Amino acid sequence: MSKIEELPASDDEHTYDHKNNNVFLAFIDTTVKESDKLTVEDTFIGGEPVWLHPDSVPDAKLLECGSCHSTDNMKLLLQAFSPLDDEQVEEVQSKYTNNINLDSINPDDDRVLYVFICSKCQRRDNSICCIRGVKKNEGTNTTTTTDDKIASVVADEGKNFQINPFDLNNNDQANPFGSNPFQASDDANPFAKPADITSEDKNGKVEPSVKTLRKLHDSEKDKEFDASKSFKNYLLFVEEERFNNKPDHLKLPKNLKINKEALELSDTNIEEDLDKNPVKMDPRTEKLSQFLDDDTFQKFQEIVGYNPSQVLRYDLGGTPLFYSKIANIKLFENVIPKPEYNPSSRRVFEMQLMPKMILDLEETVSVKEGMEWGTIMVFSDMENYTPNFDEHKVGYVKESVKIQWESRT
């Protein structure tokens, strides 16, 4: 069975309950500079992959385009550091089975998801792939759960300049989501709102503020890249999905009045529909929708509209935010192939790439060669099983990807 299939349209409406989800969003933080040294614990889009060990790279077969069977045009879309913990995975597995298997779950292991696209095989099956890499590390520290670490970040109103969205395995007590190159000192609060002031360390040495360090970093030269081999490189930061401010395009003018007679509505059904959902008549909403008859796409636009800059959604074991209608959600779940390397398990939704990413990665817009996907959904083995590890305790497998393409109509 193909790991990538274009999802057919249907008349079934998909509802997305955004009030009770546990989704985390990733946004562009900063361009990668020449002085930046990326590691496996960084999460970024574009650039070149950082493998789990310099001498441990995936088998060439895993890196091939599934359509043209070449590695020449495969470009990195995303590298996401995404460790797991027992409590998190047990909750996901319990939704599907009573036989909980946590043998391959260790929060001390390095776990990375790599998503690649073939720049020469637009809209073809298997032209986008995801590789999951795991590096086994010594350690048994499982006392800090996912929820504990997430809570420690979202509880503060401030925002770290370089948060690793999915780093659940860092012993730095000051910053549980990864190191912060803009942090002024070990005693500084990495989540406090930065002030443009200097501070002194215990030896009386003057240290620049976080804000000053950020300005200095932004003024550095961007890391150069070969456009034929990679996209421009950006670091990401994470925030919990929130719905604080209703997007302007979903708001109706306060004094809006609709003259039904002027619209010459002779069909009773049209009048009733207008009464129930006047937003459909708002031209600002209609301009945002490519599929004016697609309620799923309308819902996609509504949810994304609250956080329009998101480039990635992470929700292990959750439900994707579909870009367009699918024939049947249950049937859709059934076509996600089981891991061929672990057939007794199943794959679950883990994350999806959002179309805003295209605007960031592509320096120039090309109708013929530009990317045109609506969303890329990644499904991973819920047991996190890896069949083989090399002498560096590194192993790679290919996970399942589903794509909803941009409409050409």
Side-chain angles (χ1 to χ4, degrees):
M1 180 182 293
S2 170
K3 290 181 187 254
I4 299 179
E5 298 176 7
E6 186 166 356
L7 304 178
S10 81
D11 294 329
D12 294 340
E13 179 179 357
H14 169 66
T15 57
Y16 180 83
D17 184 3
H18 60 271
K19 296 180 180 179
N20 299 312
N21 65 16
N22 190 31
V23 179
F24 285 82
L25 309 178
F27 304 85
I28 295 295
D29 182 1
T30 178
T31 54
V32 174
K33 305 298 182 178
E34 292 287 352
S35 62
D36 292 332
K37 303 298 182 183
L38 300 183
T39 71
V40 295
E41 294 186 356
D42 289 308
T43 294
F44 54 89
I45 62 173
E48 299 287 343
V50 179
W51 301 118
L52 290 164
H53 188 280
D55 298 323
S56 298
V57 299
D59 184 273
K61 284 291 183 182
L62 295 179
L63 294 170
E64 286 183 356
C65 169
S67 178
C68 65
H69 304 290
S70 170
T71 62
D72 295 342
N73 302 302
M74 297 298 284
K75 294 183 179 181
L76 181 71
L77 286 174
L78 167 75
Q79 175 166 332
F81 184 56
S82 46
L84 304 173
D85 65 54
D86 293 14
E87 181 179 308
Q88 178 188 31
V89 176
E90 183 174 2
E91 181 180 353
V92 172
Q93 291 186 13
S94 64
K95 294 167 58 176
Y96 301 99
T97 180
N98 293 324
N99 299 319
I100 305 301
N101 183 355
L102 304 178
D103 292 345
S104 299
I105 308 301
N106 183 351
D108 293 299
D109 290 346
D110 292 330
R111 179 177 182 271
V112 178
L113 298 174
Y114 305 86
V115 181
F116 293 87
I117 185 172
C118 180
S119 59
K120 298 299 181 182
C121 294
Q122 273 292 333
R123 299 183 71 92
R124 295 182 184 175
D125 287 350
N126 302 312
S127 60
I128 300 177
C129 70
C130 176
I131 297 173
R132 173 171 56 84
V134 175
K135 181 178 184 295
K136 297 183 71 65
N137 295 320
E138 298 297 331
T140 58
N141 178 21
T142 60
T143 57
T144 304
T145 66
T146 304
D147 291 340
D148 292 334
K149 291 189 174 182
I150 287 174
S152 67
V153 174
V154 301
D156 191 286
E157 294 181 358
K159 181 175 63 181
N160 184 347
F161 285 120
Q162 188 179 322
I163 289 178
N164 183 351
F166 314 114
D167 180 359
L168 305 176
N169 178 31
N170 191 295
N171 293 324
D172 181 1
Q173 296 301 315
N175 183 357
F177 277 77
S179 61
N180 178 6
F182 306 110
Q183 185 173 332
S185 70
D186 291 339
D187 297 327
N189 178 1
F191 304 114
K193 295 180 179 178
D196 195 11
I197 59 174
T198 58
S199 60
E200 293 185 2
D201 61 17
K202 59 184 177 181
N203 297 319
K205 182 180 178 181
V206 176
E207 297 286 347
S209 68
V210 174
K211 188 174 182 179
T212 298
L213 289 171
R214 177 58 187 255
K215 287 182 178 179
L216 290 173
H217 180 268
D218 288 346
S219 67
E220 293 181 11
K221 182 180 179 182
D222 291 349
K223 185 176 182 179
E224 295 184 357
F225 66 100
D226 183 347
S228 66
K229 297 180 180 180
S230 64
F231 297 109
K232 191 170 182 178
N233 210 177
Y234 297 89
L235 283 163
L236 305 182
F237 71 88
V238 72
E239 289 183 348
E240 185 177 18
E241 184 175 37
R242 299 181 182 181
F243 300 91
N244 296 334
N245 301 309
K246 193 169 186 178
D248 289 339
H249 70 272
L250 298 178
K251 299 177 182 177
L252 290 176
K254 294 181 179 179
N255 298 323
L256 177 65
K257 295 182 179 180
I258 300 176
N259 188 329
K260 297 180 181 180
E261 294 182 357
L263 292 174
E264 296 182 353
L265 298 177
S266 58
D267 191 320
T268 303
N269 292 332
I270 296 179
E271 287 190 351
E272 291 177 353
D273 186 53
L274 182 59
D275 288 332
K276 293 178 181 178
N277 193 3
V279 73
K280 289 185 177 181
M281 302 301 294
D282 182 6
R284 294 173 302 175
T285 301
E286 291 183 342
K287 288 180 181 179
L288 287 174
S289 176
Q290 298 168 312
F291 313 123
L292 297 181
D293 59 344
D294 191 335
D295 293 332
T296 302
F297 182 76
Q298 294 282 3
K299 180 62 67 175
F300 181 93
Q301 290 284 19
E302 176 185 348
I303 299 301
V304 174
Y306 284 90
N307 302 280
S309 298
Q310 61 184 276
V311 297
L312 182 67
R313 299 174 66 85
Y314 189 90
D315 185 16
L316 180 66
T319 302
L321 178 60
F322 293 108
Y323 185 76
S324 57
K325 291 179 181 179
I326 60 175
N328 185 291
I329 296 174
K330 293 298 181 183
L331 291 178
F332 168 77
E333 294 177 350
N334 292 335
V335 299
I336 305 299
K338 291 185 176 182
E340 60 276 15
Y341 50 82
N342 190 22
S344 63
S345 181
R346 67 174 292 160
R347 286 189 171 101
V348 296
F349 173 71
E350 182 161 358
M351 66 180 186
Q352 67 187 109
L353 285 60
M354 306 300 285
K356 167 66 167 55
M357 188 182 295
I358 298 176
L359 300 178
D360 296 309
L361 293 179
E362 293 192 333
E363 292 281 277
T364 58
V365 178
S366 172
V367 176
K368 292 183 178 181
E369 299 181 0
M371 293 184 287
E372 51 184 17
W373 43 268
T375 190
I376 299 171
M377 298 167 282
V378 174
F379 298 80
S380 58
D381 177 17
M382 68 178 184
E383 295 182 356
N384 196 45
Y385 178 72
T386 305
N388 299 303
F389 290 91
D390 64 14
E391 66 273 21
H392 304 294
K393 300 181 179 179
V394 173
Y396 296 98
V397 295
K398 183 170 286 189
E399 294 291 15
S400 181
V401 175
K402 292 291 180 181
I403 307 166
Q404 289 188 308
W405 300 101
E406 179 71 67
S407 173
R408 288 181 172 177
T409 58

